Amino acid sequence: MRVVFGVGDYCLPVAELLASLGMATDAVADDRATVCPLPGVRVIRREEIPDGATVYVAIGDAMARRSIVAY
């Protein structure tokens, strides 16, 4: 499973990059959002990311990104 973390400004470019490499985005994770900028892709919470998932952190703020990566 491929998960893009964050529904902000970086979500769509990261998902488009993955698609250009032949990799689909299975879900978008965000603890505060309920609407996904990617049609047909569901939004999940951090706790719902399955073990073994590949997570692409699409957050511009370095401190927030570091916190998510550490999680």
Side-chain angles (χ1 to χ4, degrees):
M1 173 179 243
R2 288 182 191 87
V3 178
V4 174
F5 196 103
V7 298
D9 293 338
Y10 293 107
C11 179
L12 188 57
V14 169
E16 289 174 344
L17 175 62
L18 291 173
S20 74
L21 296 171
M23 298 185 279
T25 300
D26 300 306
V28 172
D30 196 295
D31 294 335
R32 289 180 249 148
T34 57
V35 177
C36 181
L38 307 172
V41 177
R42 64 190 177 111
V43 177
I44 61 176
R45 296 182 58 78
R46 179 188 317 208
E47 298 82 24
E48 297 176 83
I49 298 172
D51 290 340
T54 302
V55 179
Y56 300 89
V57 182
I59 297 176
D61 180 270
M63 295 299 289
R65 189 173 53 247
R66 185 176 297 139
S67 171
I68 297 302
V69 170
Y71 174 79

